[in-house]
Amino acid sequence: MSSSTPDDRPKATAVAYQGEPLPNVSEDLVVPNILSLDFEERLWVPQAPDIWFRPILFNVSQGYFVNLLRVRRSGILSRHRHSGPVHATTLRGKWHYLEHPWWATEGSHAFEPPGDIHTLEVPDGVEEMITLFHVTGAYIYVDPHGAPLGVEDVFSKLSSAKAHYEKVGLGAAYVDQFIR
């Protein structure tokens, strides 16, 4: 098998696919204006004091979620271990892990491998941190020696969002648009 180059790809024409749809394919999901970051407050789901998340996708069949995390305080947020890979793109502010030398600054992207254990800190002077997280599997919250204290995954995030949207008058079903 030879390697191909972009010039080897078949030429597409401006004609939409006209065949039968593949079976069991989920609907597309488009969430408009995700980078505006200034959403109606009711869309931000409280997670802890001065910490919220904004759901983008709850993929319950593959066990991952995508959300914006908004933090409006400095200090330690959590210590956790990942059961799957995590991608994080910092959109506002900065943060880091006590266990690593790097900083996630505005515009940077971080990959966190499964099994990594780290303590997330937002430094003094950061008024607001917003990061787009794509989390596969679960966060396992741990003590300083790695003993499990709690778990957060797509199902617990979904449950929190449903309860919040019901409480703020959008209705629990508001969250259904993000489920695939």
Side-chain angles (χ1 to χ4, degrees), residues 7-93:
D7 293 336
D8 295 336
R9 288 184 261 169
K11 301 295 181 214
T13 58
V15 176
Y17 173 70
Q18 296 177 16
E20 289 293 319
L22 296 174
N24 306 311
V25 174
S26 296
E27 292 181 37
D28 292 349
L29 172 62
V30 176
V31 180
N33 300 317
I34 207 70
L35 293 180
S36 73
L37 304 182
D38 297 317
F39 302 103
E40 178 185 348
E41 280 303 310
R42 295 186 306 166
L43 299 181
W44 291 100
V45 178
Q47 186 167 304
D50 299 320
I51 302 172
W52 302 262
F53 72 91
R54 165 65 164 95
I56 297 172
L57 173 67
F58 294 116
N59 192 307
V60 296
S61 63
Q62 294 184 0
Y64 71 85
F65 62 92
V66 180
N67 67 192
L68 294 171
L69 180 70
R70 180 177 75 177
V71 179
R72 290 184 171 162
R73 68 173 172 88
S74 58
I76 302 299
L77 271 58
S78 71
R79 181 181 310 98
H80 56 271
R81 179 176 75 220
H82 296 291
S83 66
V86 173
H87 292 267
T89 302
T90 305
L91 305 175
R92 188 176 287 167

Side-chain angles (χ1 to χ4, degrees), residues 78-82 97-100 102 112-113 116-120 139 142:
S78 71
R79 181 181 310 98
H80 56 271
R81 179 176 75 220
H82 296 291
Y97 291 129
L98 298 180
E99 296 79 7
H100 299 296
W102 54 264
E112 303 170 24
D116 196 23
I117 298 174
H118 39 241
T119 309
L120 195 157
Y139 288 128
V142 298

Side-chain angles (χ1 to χ4, degrees), residues 87-162:
H87 292 267
T89 302
T90 305
L91 305 175
R92 188 176 287 167
K94 67 180 181 177
W95 56 275
H96 76 119
Y97 291 129
L98 298 180
E99 296 79 7
H100 299 296
W102 54 264
W103 282 84
T105 57
E106 225 169 272
S108 65
H109 181 82
F111 167 73
E112 303 170 24
D116 196 23
I117 298 174
H118 39 241
T119 309
L120 195 157
E121 179 186 38
V122 174
D124 289 337
V126 174
E127 290 183 26
E128 182 175 69
M129 179 275 277
I130 299 179
T131 299
L132 174 72
F133 281 100
H134 180 289
V135 179
T136 301
Y139 288 128
I140 303 162
Y141 295 104
V142 298
D143 71 12
H145 302 287
L149 300 172
V151 175
E152 183 174 69
D153 62 12
V154 65
F155 303 104
S156 61
K157 297 292 267 190
L158 178 55
S159 179
S160 294
K162 277 187 179 190

